[in-house]
Amino acid sequence: DTVLTQSPALAVSPGERVSISCRASEGVNSYMHWYQQKPGQQPKLLIYKASNLASGVPARFSGSGSGTDFTLTIDPVEADDTATYFCQQSWNDPYTFGAGTKLELK
Amino acid sequence: QVTLKESGPGILQPSQTLSLTCTFSGFSLSTYGMGVGWIRQPSGKGLEWLANIWWDDDKYYNPSLKNRLTISKDTSNNQAFLKITNVDTADTATYYCARANYGSYPYWGQGVMVTVSS
């Protein structure tokens, strides 16, 4: 299976820029997607196919990368962005998710 | 407007079969390119992809569940189903269904909690 590695946690101040990384154990082309999940809620798609903003998602969110290294960037960070962020690949079977990066605001 | 809602038994005993239903609106599983996936999440943990079913009845499963999974659909009633046989406590989780799009999931249900306990 394709293992997706994310940093466990990050802490930033509102107004700053934050980059959340996801490294794949093997190439996934551009088929990397990013989700935001708040406690008690279902995941919400933010970015699909590495760099495409999902419908209704603020332009503060952006994605980049290809192959094995991907980044979700939030600029500027707002208080409401406190959540866990998951990456997911759909290039290799089975689909896999990263363990998530918990974003906390200072 | 796309909506999905999961339903399930809530609690079941080890070795039983878990049957889940996803009832959706706003799209049809008979439309080219449409798919529904099942994903689960144990409390406080990460997400695990289980299976996808597509408009043409193609089905894909996570091999880690070792042939315990069966996904199916009822296009007429806008429903998708997932069965997991021989459950044990490790299957305790919130189960989500979601509409698939190029391998991502832009629409999710609210999830249904399933507890396996004797």
Side-chain angles (χ1 to χ4, degrees), chain B residues 87-117:
Chain B
V87 297
D88 69 8
T89 55
D91 296 307
T92 294
T94 295
Y95 286 77
Y96 296 100
C97 66
R99 197 187 88 175
N101 183 49
Y102 293 104
S104 68
Y105 298 98
Y107 300 97
W108 293 64
Q110 63 191 20
V112 62
M113 289 186 62
V114 174
T115 301
V116 180
S117 174

Side-chain angles (χ1 to χ4, degrees), chain A residues 40-94:
Chain A
Q41 296 185 15
Q42 67 270 55
K44 173 186 176 182
L45 179 67
L46 300 174
I47 301 290
Y48 65 95
K49 287 190 71 180
S51 61
N52 297 279
L53 197 65
S55 177
V57 175
R60 304 184 291 106
F61 293 88
S62 63
S64 63
S66 66
T68 59
D69 289 295
F70 297 84
T71 302
L72 171 70
T73 300
I74 311 172
D75 186 15
V77 172
E78 296 183 358
D80 188 53
D81 299 334
T82 298
T84 300
Y85 293 84
F86 294 95
C87 54
Q88 176 237 329
Q89 67 82 23
S90 61
W91 182 249
N92 300 313
D93 284 328

Side-chain angles (χ1 to χ4, degrees), chain B residues 5-71:
Chain B
K5 186 171 184 179
E6 308 87 349
S7 57
I11 187 166
L12 67 167
Q13 295 184 337
S15 80
Q16 290 186 322
T17 295
L18 170 61
S19 295
L20 298 167
T21 299
C22 175
T23 302
F24 55 85
S25 64
F27 68 98
S28 172
L29 257 181
S30 62
T31 300
Y32 178 89
M34 289 296 165
V36 167
W38 287 93
I39 301 104
R40 70 180 179 182
Q41 185 174 37
S43 181
K45 297 191 178 179
L47 299 159
E48 179 181 27
W49 173 76
L50 299 177
N52 280 352
I53 189 165
W54 297 96
W55 82 100
D56 58 359
D57 213 35
D58 261 355
K59 301 164 187 174
Y60 296 87
Y61 297 102
N62 191 326
S64 71
L65 275 82
K66 297 177 183 177
N67 302 319
R68 296 170 53 214
L69 300 177
T70 303
I71 193 170

